[in-house]
Amino acid sequence: SPPGLLLLTSFLLHMEEGRASPTRLVCDNRLIQKYIGEAKDMEKRVGQCQALPTLSWPMVLPLVDFSLQQWKSKSNETKRREILCDLALLVGAVVGAQGQVTQECGARQLSQLYQHANSFLLLLQTFSWEAGPWEPGCSPRSIEQTHVTSIFLTYRQLVQGKLRFFFHDLAKDLCR
């Protein structure tokens, strides 16, 4: 889809003009640290929004905590699919919340979160070790939340946790 392609292109350009590539994202540890920093900033800024409404219907968020031992035993493809599932659920929650948050500060943060999470979603769809298209046929563990801030918390935990460890694991193979 052209809008998706445009977003991925702008994401790759945003990473630093000219030399950006998924390999570089994985091999340059400063980039994942930058995304963790941005996730923390977004979480902090949404926390400063005045009078954020409680959502009138709950958003389904992935539970992104994990056991490092179990994580290490999974293949990179399994990890990638698991993160894609989490991201797909998270992006859906952001879209659902966007429909309920009209207040400018919250809406602006949600829009930014959507762009970041969706960029990772598109990027991870380009990494593949198995033939065939990605199918979102997955059911991650999830929880229902009515607070907008919990969406940002989940995103930060996902980037700081699974995504950072995934990139670290890929770096072992890709970055010689």
Side-chain angles (χ1 to χ4, degrees):
S1 66
L5 196 60
L6 186 67
L7 190 59
L8 180 61
T9 307
S10 64
F11 177 71
L12 293 172
L13 289 173
H14 160 78
M15 283 170 33
E16 271 180 41
E17 295 65 34
R19 314 187 296 282
S21 72
T23 306
R24 191 163 163 272
L25 173 60
V26 169
C27 296
D28 187 346
N29 191 35
R30 291 170 308 183
L31 280 170
I32 191 66
Q33 293 306 326
K34 174 177 179 260
Y35 292 115
I36 291 170
E38 288 175 352
K40 287 178 179 173
D41 288 346
M42 284 190 288
E43 187 182 14
K44 193 170 85 188
R45 281 198 302 270
V46 81
Q48 292 165 346
C49 291
Q50 299 302 307
L52 268 182
T54 298
L55 300 173
S56 45
W57 66 89
M59 295 298 109
V60 178
L61 291 173
L63 286 168
V64 293
D65 57 312
F66 64 102
S67 142
L68 200 53
Q69 282 313 111
Q70 282 181 325
W71 184 253
K72 286 178 173 174
S73 69
K74 296 176 181 178
S75 73
N76 282 346
E77 180 63 16
T78 302
K79 292 173 190 172
R80 181 182 79 97
R81 287 174 184 267
E82 195 175 302
I83 295 169
L84 278 169
C85 288
D86 291 340
L87 281 166
L89 203 55
L90 188 70
V91 166
V94 173
V95 171
Q98 280 178 316
Q100 297 183 59
V101 177
T102 53
Q103 180 247 30
E104 191 193 340
C105 176
R108 195 169 53 238
Q109 295 311 316
L110 281 166
S111 172
Q112 193 181 13
L113 178 60
Y114 175 81
Q115 289 170 345
H116 283 247
N118 203 44
S119 295
F120 275 126
L121 190 63
L122 291 167
L123 185 73
L124 287 183
Q125 286 176 18
T126 67
F127 291 175
S128 186
W129 293 273
E130 289 172 10
W134 174 66
E135 275 122 42
C138 54
S139 50
R141 295 177 309 128
S142 61
I143 185 170
E144 290 194 343
Q145 291 285 3
T146 55
H147 295 285
V148 175
T149 50
S150 54
I151 302 173
F152 289 81
L153 171 68
T154 301
Y155 176 72
R156 177 181 58 78
Q157 290 173 330
L158 182 60
V159 175
Q160 256 183 322
K162 288 182 181 178
L163 212 51
R164 184 168 59 102
F165 281 105
F166 177 61
F167 285 162
H168 178 75
D169 294 337
L170 287 182
K172 290 178 206 162
D173 301 333
L174 291 173
C175 316
R176 301 260 178 251

